[in-house]
Amino acid sequence: MPMAELEDGTLPSAGRGTRFAVLGTALLLCVVVAVLQVSTPPSSHIASMLVAVPALVAFAFGPPVIVGAAVVAAGTRWLLLPTEPQRIGSVIGTTVVICVIAALSCFVVRRGERESARLRKVVSVAETAQRAVLRPPPETLGPFRTAASYLAAAQYARIGGDLYAVADTEFGVRALIGDVRGKGLDAVSTASAVLGSFHEAAYEEETLGRLAGRLDTGLNRFLRDDEAFVTALLIQTAPDGRTEAYSCGHPPSLVLRDGTVHELPAGTGLPLGLRTLTSAPTEAEGPRVAGTLLRPGDTVLLYTDGIAETRNETGAFYPLADRLTAYQRAHPPPVDPEHLLAWLQKDAHDYSCADTYDDAALLALAWPPERPSRSAETRKKMPPGTA
C-alpha cells in the first residue's frame, strides 16, 4: 500500500508503527550480536554485523538519525571487540563509510518518492478531467446496446486525445469517434471542444457533412495552434437501419455480421481544424454516400488508430479484421459490446511489443437479433405437414 502524502506533496519517511518496528529490530540485532560475540571467541568478529544498524535505521528515520545510530554501532562494536589502538580508526572508518552509503541511498529514495508523488498528483488531475469529458455512453441507445473503452499505452501516459460520443436524434442514432493530434491536458481540452460542438449540432444538422462542418467551425474558434487538428468519423443509423458514415481523415468503422467483417462505406473530408487551409468547397453541404442497411444482429465498431497500428516484434500491424472474425467464431451471437471491447483491448495488448501499443479508444454499437415471435416458434415445433 503506498504511503500517504503530506500536505506539501512529499512523503513521510515512515509511519509511526514502521519506525517502532525498525527501531525494535535494530535494538534486537544489537542484543543478538552482543550475546553471540560474548559467547564465542573474539576471532569470530560477529560484532562486525553491527555496521548494518545505521543503514537499517536510515530508511525509517531519515539521514539525521544515522549519526546517532553510527555512534551506537561503532561504540558497541569497539567494546565487544577490544583491539589495538591503531585499529580503532579502522573500526570507526568502516562505520562511517556504511553511514555515508546509507545516507546517500536514503536521499535518492526520498527524492524518487517525492517525484512519484508529484507525478501521481498530476496524472490524477488529468485523469479526472478526462473522465469528465469522456463519459460512458448509455447502455442502450435506439435499437443498439452500446459500450466504449479507452486504454492508454503506459501507466503514466494515460491521458490522450481520443474521444467518442453518441446521440439519439430525430435523424437516427449518431456516433462520433476522433483522435486529437497530441496528448496531455491540451489534447483533452481540444477533445472537450469537439464533443461540446457534437452534442449541440448532432440534434440540428440534417446530414453528416453539415455536422462535420459545424464541428470544424467550432474547433477553429477554439484552436490556437495552426498545426493542430482532429481526425474524426461520424456515423448515422436511421430507425429503418439505413446507415451512413462520414470520415474526416479517420479509419473507417467495421460491421460485424454473421461471422464476417467489412468496412462501412463513408464520405470523405479533411480532418477537423484543417478545412480552412483549402479554398476548395467543403463538404459542409453534405454529400449523400451509399450507405449500408444494418439489421438486427449486426455490430458496428468504431476505433482509433491505436488499435490498428499496434505492431508485434516483427513490425507487423495488428490484423484487426481477422481478429474480429476469430472473435465471432469463438463467441457466438448475440455480441456483448462490453465483452467485445474488453477482449479486443487485451488481444491487441498481448499482440504488441512493449513500445508499439498506443492510446486506443473503442466504441461499439450492437443491434440485438430479433427474437422469433411466439407463433413462429410454435410452427417450428409442429411436425411437418401439420396445418
Side-chain angles (χ1 to χ4, degrees):
M1 180 179 295
M3 292 182 289
E5 297 178 17
L6 298 176
E7 292 183 358
D8 61 356
T10 61
L11 293 174
S13 57
R16 179 175 299 179
T18 303
R19 290 183 177 183
F20 281 120
V22 172
L23 182 59
T25 302
L27 293 176
L28 179 62
L29 178 62
C30 290
V31 173
V32 171
V33 169
V35 172
L36 291 176
Q37 182 62 58
V38 171
S39 59
T40 57
S43 59
S44 63
H45 289 278
I46 296 177
S48 299
M49 296 176 59
L50 291 173
V51 296
V53 172
L56 183 63
V57 173
F59 287 98
F61 292 88
V65 187
I66 295 179
V67 177
V71 172
V72 173
T76 305
R77 181 186 177 192
W78 181 57
L79 290 174
L80 292 174
L81 291 175
T83 59
E84 297 81 2
Q86 62 270 23
R87 297 191 59 188
I88 295 178
S90 175
V91 172
I92 297 176
T94 302
T95 306
V96 169
V97 170
I98 296 297
C99 290
V100 171
I101 295 175
L104 291 176
S105 301
C106 184
F107 172 76
V108 172
V109 170
R110 295 289 155 74
R111 186 174 63 177
E113 289 176 345
R114 288 193 296 268
E115 181 64 21
S116 297
R118 185 193 65 81
L119 186 59
R120 283 196 300 269
K121 184 175 293 185
V122 171
V123 171
S124 177
V125 171
E127 284 186 319
T128 300
Q130 189 169 50
R131 282 195 297 267
V133 172
L134 285 181
R135 298 180 179 179
E139 293 185 2
T140 59
L141 196 72
F144 297 107
R145 294 180 59 199
T146 68
S149 69
Y150 179 87
L151 187 65
Q155 179 181 6
Y156 292 116
R158 289 177 289 198
I159 311 305
D162 291 357
L163 58 99
Y164 51 78
V166 292
D168 190 2
T169 72
E170 62 176 300
F171 313 107
V173 173
R174 286 179 165 177
L176 161 70
I177 195 164
D179 189 354
V180 179
R181 178 182 177 271
K183 291 180 173 61
L185 287 176
D186 289 341
V188 174
S189 180
T190 301
S192 177
V194 175
L195 292 172
S197 296
F198 174 81
H199 287 302
E200 176 184 354
Y203 298 92
E204 300 175 357
E205 299 298 337
E206 295 184 1
T207 66
L208 295 183
R210 288 184 178 273
L211 176 56
R214 283 280 297 276
L215 299 184
D216 182 76
T217 300
L219 183 60
N220 278 302
R221 291 172 181 167
F222 170 82
L223 290 177
R224 298 294 181 267
D225 184 358
D226 293 337
E227 297 182 356
F229 62 88
V230 179
T231 66
L233 177 70
L234 296 162
I235 70 168
Q236 171 184 297
T237 300
D240 61 359
R242 289 181 296 108
T243 303
E244 299 177 353
Y246 189 88
S247 173
C248 301
H250 198 84
S253 56
L254 301 175
V255 178
L256 286 65
R257 171 184 293 172
D258 298 333
T260 64
V261 178
H262 64 271
E263 294 183 355
L264 188 67
T268 57
L270 290 174
L272 305 178
L274 298 182
R275 295 187 173 205
T276 56
L277 300 181
T278 177
S279 58
T282 68
E283 305 293 344
E285 289 73 20
R288 309 298 298 192
V289 298
T292 297
L293 183 64
L294 294 184
R295 60 175 187 249
D298 292 345
T299 299
V300 181
L301 177 70
L302 295 83
Y303 60 95
T304 57
D305 58 9
I307 285 285
E309 295 182 359
T310 295
R311 297 186 302 277
N312 62 9
E313 295 83 357
T314 65
F317 288 107
Y318 180 68
L320 179 58
D322 292 342
R323 298 306 298 154
L324 289 173
T325 301
Y327 174 85
Q328 293 180 89
R329 289 198 300 265
H331 302 86
V335 173
D336 180 350
E338 290 188 2
H339 184 271
L340 169 65
L341 299 191
W343 180 91
L344 193 57
Q345 292 280 25
K346 183 180 184 303
D347 190 62
H349 189 273
D350 294 341
Y351 177 88
S352 69
C353 295
D355 59 347
T356 63
Y357 188 69
D358 197 4
D359 301 336
L362 297 170
L363 178 63
L365 306 176
W367 193 341
E370 290 182 342
R371 295 182 178 180
S373 64
R374 184 176 298 274
S375 59
E377 292 180 348
T378 302
R379 285 196 297 270
K380 289 181 180 179
K381 295 178 180 179
M382 294 175 65
T386 304

